[in-house]
């Protein structure tokens, strides 16, 4: 009894007020924990020589209820089948007035507790269940599966698709369609006619829209870069061709809707002319319109064209450029096309001065009108990968400007065929999305605990906004000191051990040196404990606890 009291008091004295390495990822349900206890003995639940499952289930539940009483906990759920099999009883608790961190601090040292963990939110590893996903080589190429494990976009962000309209009834697009200030899915503008029905009967715009934002993980068809986004259809190419005035009217419509509150963060422009004389981009009509979009904080993803030209040579020898791809404003991005294997698509225009980045553009599978799907190729298919990336990054980092999001995209491009074909390289959304870990610090740096005692260490991962802040814990000698996944160190036997925290991202390490001391009498008194019930005459029995000499 004296030994038990001694350890209980030590647990209370040496418990640490911080939860170790509380990562931002994975997520967990605040105010809830899962506690692992020693399961009730199976032998205590025999009736007439046979195991009584109902009695055992009641016992496991009663164990959790007893644990919850006096701790302001609500016992939510137990798992008696697991308890019987593993000899460990898992109990799910909720508190109305304590945080998860506080619960872990309080419960880790409670008698009979094996471990305390947050009630983590697990998500599927997000390769979507859309049946044609296997055809979307471009999504793998730009790193989307890793991004989707953390983020899949937001319906708070809108992308305007200046194209041939969108089949807004397509089952893989309808849920992600935006509504403008008049309640329409967008606008139709052609040859002086304007109305609110942007239905796509040509097919190009619907294909582009699917790459940007086909609904993901819905068990249907394909998925876009964004599973969740809003798509605004701007139909100015109903028959595959359009004039500047209609295109500019479409851009004005985009500006108007943004001014009315629609959060348009990107626009896709998979169109352009052949060689066109060099112009003063600030003064040209189309250039002025594109600059207005850029100045409004909208990233303009523009296809570089499919003539197979080096645009730099086009300029040098013929005094001509491609527009709108050659407009250079704060938030414009010119996009070339690659095939599977990161090779330049033969038809793609290129040039390390005028083509900023390349993206998948060969044999791209996406949505087409009348509920269909098909392959298409060209820089028209490459640009929406970039527009989709701009939307997703804008949703993930809502406080960053369009110029900052553009910098994320360009500065994190994979340096392939630079400067041969592309100014910055090939689109890598994961690299643009990820904030890498730069280090980890363990506190305290040294600790002294008694055998049977615990000390919880804290791992602080830098920077504070790192994408993956998970750490793993290890001990150099588990016979002296063991450590659990939360950084709680248990003194096993006298000696010294090194406890190490290692970041899952990039493997940074930091350590704490733990000295475990065997308790002996004769040292200074660190606490007393008494209970009048131990003496029939009601005299106090006092136990003095000493540190080792």
């Amino acid at each position: 009894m004296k030994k038990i009291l001694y350890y209980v008091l030590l647990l209370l004295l040496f418990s640490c007020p911080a939860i170790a390495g509380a990562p931002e990822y994975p997520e967990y349900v605040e105010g809830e924990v899962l506690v692992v206890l020693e399961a009730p003995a199976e032998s205590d639940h025999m009736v007439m020589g046979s195991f009584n499952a109902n009695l055992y289930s009641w016992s496991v539940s009663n164990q959790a209820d007893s644990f919850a009483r006096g701790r302001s906990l609500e016992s939510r759920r137990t798992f008696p089948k697991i308890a019987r099999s593993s000899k460990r009883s898992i109990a799910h608790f909720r508190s109305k007035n304590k945080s998860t961190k506080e619960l872990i601090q309080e419960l880790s040292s409670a008698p009979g507790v094996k471990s305390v963990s947050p009630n983590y939110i697990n998500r599927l590893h997000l390769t979507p269940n859309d049946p044609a996903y296997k055809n979307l080589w471009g999504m793998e190429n730009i790193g989307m599966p890793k991004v989707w494990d953390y983020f899949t976009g937001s319906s708070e962000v809108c992308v305007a698709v200046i194209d041939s309209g969108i089949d807004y009834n397509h089952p893989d697009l309808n849920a992600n369609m935006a509504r403008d200030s008049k309640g329409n899915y967008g606008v139709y503008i052609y040859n002086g006619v304007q109305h609110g029905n942007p239905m796509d009967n040509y097919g190009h715009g619907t294909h582009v829209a699917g790459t940007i934002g086909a609904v993901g993980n819905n068990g249907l068809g394909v998925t876009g870069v964004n599973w969740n986004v809003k798509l605004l259809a701007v139909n100015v190419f109903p028959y595959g061709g359009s004039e500047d005035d209609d295109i500019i009217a479409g851009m004005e419509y985009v500006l108007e809707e943004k001014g009315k509150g629609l959060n348009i963060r990107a626009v896709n422009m998979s169109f352009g002319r052949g060689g066109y004389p060099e112009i003063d981009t600030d003064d040209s009509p189309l250039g002025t319109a594109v600059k207005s979009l850029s100045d409004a904080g909208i990233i303009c993803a523009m296809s570089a064209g499919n003539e197979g030209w080096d645009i730099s040579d086009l300029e040098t020898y013929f005094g001509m450029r491609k527009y709108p791809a050659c407009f250079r404003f704060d938030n414009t991005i010119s996009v070339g096309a690659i095939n599977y294997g990161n090779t330049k698509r033969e038809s793609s225009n290129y040039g390390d001065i005028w083509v900023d980045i390349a993206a998948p553009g060969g044999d791209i599978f996406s949505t087409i009108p009348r509920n269909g799907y098909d392959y298409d190729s060209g820089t028209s298919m490459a640009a929406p990968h970039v527009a989709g990336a701009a939307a997703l990054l804008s949703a993930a980092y809502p406080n960053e400007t369009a110029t900052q999001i553009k910098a994320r995209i360009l500065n994190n491009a994979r340096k392939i065929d630079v400067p041969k074909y592309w100014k910055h390289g090939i689109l890598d959304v994961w690299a643009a999305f990820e904030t890498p870990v730069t280090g980890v610090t363990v506190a305290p740096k040294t600790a002294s605990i008694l055998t049977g005692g615990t000390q919880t260490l804290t791992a602080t991962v830098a920077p504070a906004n790192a994408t993956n802040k998970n750490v793993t814990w290890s001990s150099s000698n588990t016979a002296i000191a063991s450590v659990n996944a939360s950084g709680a160190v248990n003194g096993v036997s006298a000696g010294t051990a090194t406890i190490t925290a290692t970041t899952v991202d990039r493997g940074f390490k930091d350590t704490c040196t733990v000295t475990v001391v065997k308790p002996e009498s004769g040292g200074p008194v660190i606490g007393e404990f008494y209970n009048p019930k131990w003496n029939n005459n009601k005299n106090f029995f006092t136990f003095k606890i000493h540190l080792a000499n």
Side-chain angles (χ1 to χ4, degrees):
M1 178 65 73
K2 184 173 181 180
K3 183 177 180 181
I4 293 173
L5 292 172
Y6 172 76
Y7 286 146
V8 169
L9 183 53
L10 286 178
L11 289 171
L12 295 173
L13 288 171
F14 287 95
S15 61
C16 177
I19 179 175
E24 293 181 2
Y25 293 100
E27 303 167 278
Y28 56 82
V29 181
E30 186 58 68
E32 295 189 7
V33 289
L34 295 175
V35 177
V36 178
L37 303 161
E38 284 285 359
E42 183 176 330
S43 60
D44 293 340
H45 300 86
M46 306 293 288
V47 177
M48 302 296 291
S50 299
F51 177 77
N52 188 309
N54 291 331
L55 181 60
Y56 189 76
S57 178
W58 173 86
S59 180
V60 171
S61 177
N62 186 61
Q63 178 191 36
D65 291 341
S66 298
F67 188 88
R69 281 194 293 270
R71 292 187 170 93
S72 301
L73 296 175
E74 175 189 355
S75 179
R76 301 283 295 169
R77 189 179 185 187
T78 56
F79 307 87
K81 291 182 180 179
I82 294 176
R84 187 186 178 196
S85 173
S86 67
K87 306 299 186 289
R88 296 288 185 273
S89 179
I90 303 171
H92 175 199
F93 297 110
R94 174 186 294 173
S95 173
K96 294 182 179 180
N97 53 20
K98 293 182 180 179
S99 69
T100 296
K101 292 181 180 180
E102 290 171 331
L103 290 174
I104 292 175
Q105 174 191 337
E106 175 185 323
L107 302 179
S108 292
S109 58
V113 171
K114 293 293 183 181
S115 70
V116 185
S117 300
N119 188 17
Y120 287 120
I121 299 172
N122 291 270
R123 306 188 185 279
L124 294 174
H125 285 271
L126 298 180
T127 298
N129 62 13
D130 307 80
Y133 174 76
K134 62 182 181 295
N135 299 325
L136 306 183
W137 71 267
M139 297 298 171
E140 297 277 350
N141 183 277
I142 64 176
M144 292 315 305
K146 289 191 287 187
V147 177
W148 291 330
D149 277 347
Y150 292 94
F151 193 67
T152 57
S154 169
S155 60
E156 299 299 315
V157 169
C158 181
V159 181
V161 181
I162 301 178
D163 212 290
S164 64
I166 300 174
D167 181 356
Y168 46 77
N169 292 323
H170 197 294
D172 234 358
L173 296 173
N174 180 260
N176 280 349
M177 291 301 301
R179 296 277 191 171
D180 67 10
S181 56
K182 296 180 180 179
N184 300 318
Y185 290 119
V187 70
Y188 172 99
I189 303 173
Y190 187 73
N191 199 24
V193 175
Q194 180 169 335
H195 56 69
N197 183 6
M199 175 58 72
D200 180 14
N201 293 308
Y202 186 74
H204 191 273
T206 300
H207 198 280
V208 164
T211 296
I212 296 170
V215 178
N217 218 42
N218 63 346
L220 178 68
V222 298
T223 183
V225 171
N226 300 266
W227 298 6
N228 304 289
V229 72
K230 289 302 177 186
L231 301 165
L232 183 67
V234 184
N235 186 347
V236 295
F237 290 90
Y239 307 106
S242 187
E243 298 176 356
D244 276 359
D245 60 330
D246 285 334
I247 295 171
I248 292 168
M251 294 181 183
E252 184 177 62
Y253 166 78
V254 171
L255 288 171
E256 180 181 11
E257 291 303 316
K258 184 173 179 64
K260 291 180 178 180
L262 197 57
N263 187 26
I264 302 171
R265 296 298 303 271
V267 61
N268 193 84
M269 303 183 193
S270 289
F271 61 86
R273 308 182 181 96
Y276 195 81
E278 295 179 44
I279 57 176
D280 185 334
T281 57
D282 288 329
D283 290 338
S284 71
L286 190 60
T288 298
V290 173
K291 187 175 187 298
S292 296
L293 295 178
S294 171
D295 290 347
I298 299 174
I299 294 175
C300 305
M302 310 174 300
S303 58
N306 302 313
E307 293 83 13
W309 293 337
D310 181 336
I311 301 180
S312 300
D313 287 346
L314 184 69
E315 179 184 26
T316 300
Y317 296 113
F318 300 100
M320 306 179 79
R321 296 178 186 164
K322 285 283 298 183
Y323 291 106
C326 287
F327 289 135
R328 282 294 176 270
F329 303 119
D330 288 345
N331 298 314
T332 57
I333 302 176
S334 177
V335 187
I338 59 169
N339 291 316
Y340 183 84
N342 296 320
T343 59
K344 184 185 79 68
R345 184 161 181 80
E346 296 82 353
S347 63
S348 176
N349 291 340
Y350 61 97
D352 62 348
I353 296 176
W354 295 110
V355 183
D356 295 308
I357 199 168
D363 297 319
I364 302 302
F365 196 67
S366 188
T367 48
I368 60 172
R370 290 170 289 282
N371 304 341
Y373 302 88
D374 205 352
Y375 291 93
D376 208 344
S377 298
T379 59
S380 282
M381 284 62 252
H385 286 87
V386 175
L392 184 139
L393 293 168
S394 295
Y397 299 97
N399 295 323
E400 291 191 4
T401 65
T403 303
Q404 289 172 314
I405 297 297
K406 173 185 173 180
R408 277 185 179 271
I409 293 171
L410 298 184
N411 294 341
N412 289 287
R414 301 199 303 278
K415 307 303 180 185
I416 299 175
D417 285 332
V418 175
K420 183 179 179 182
Y421 295 133
W422 330 114
K423 185 174 183 179
H424 295 276
I426 293 174
L427 177 65
D428 188 335
V429 184
W430 169 247
F433 173 81
E434 181 192 28
T435 301
V437 169
T438 59
V440 62
T441 303
V442 171
K445 301 301 296 179
T446 61
S448 180
I449 60 177
L450 300 181
T451 55
T454 61
Q455 171 90 24
T456 302
L457 307 181
T458 301
T460 302
V461 176
N465 64 336
T467 302
N468 185 349
K469 299 178 74 175
N470 289 336
V471 299
T472 59
W473 292 92
S474 61
S475 171
S476 65
N477 192 335
T478 56
I480 293 174
S482 62
V483 61
N484 69 12
S486 296
V489 180
N490 180 56
V492 179
S493 63
T496 300
T498 300
I499 306 300
T500 302
T502 304
T503 63
V504 173
D505 179 16
R506 289 165 172 77
F508 289 98
K509 300 177 185 291
D510 197 25
T511 62
C512 171
T513 301
V514 174
T515 301
V516 180
V517 179
K518 182 179 180 181
E520 297 179 4
S521 61
V525 176
I526 63 169
E528 297 182 351
F529 196 97
Y530 66 87
N531 189 330
K533 295 182 180 179
W534 296 339
N535 185 282
N536 291 331
N537 296 323
K538 305 303 181 183
N539 294 324
F540 290 169
F541 276 19
T542 300
F543 294 94
K544 296 184 178 182
I545 301 172
H546 303 264
L547 287 176
N549 289 322

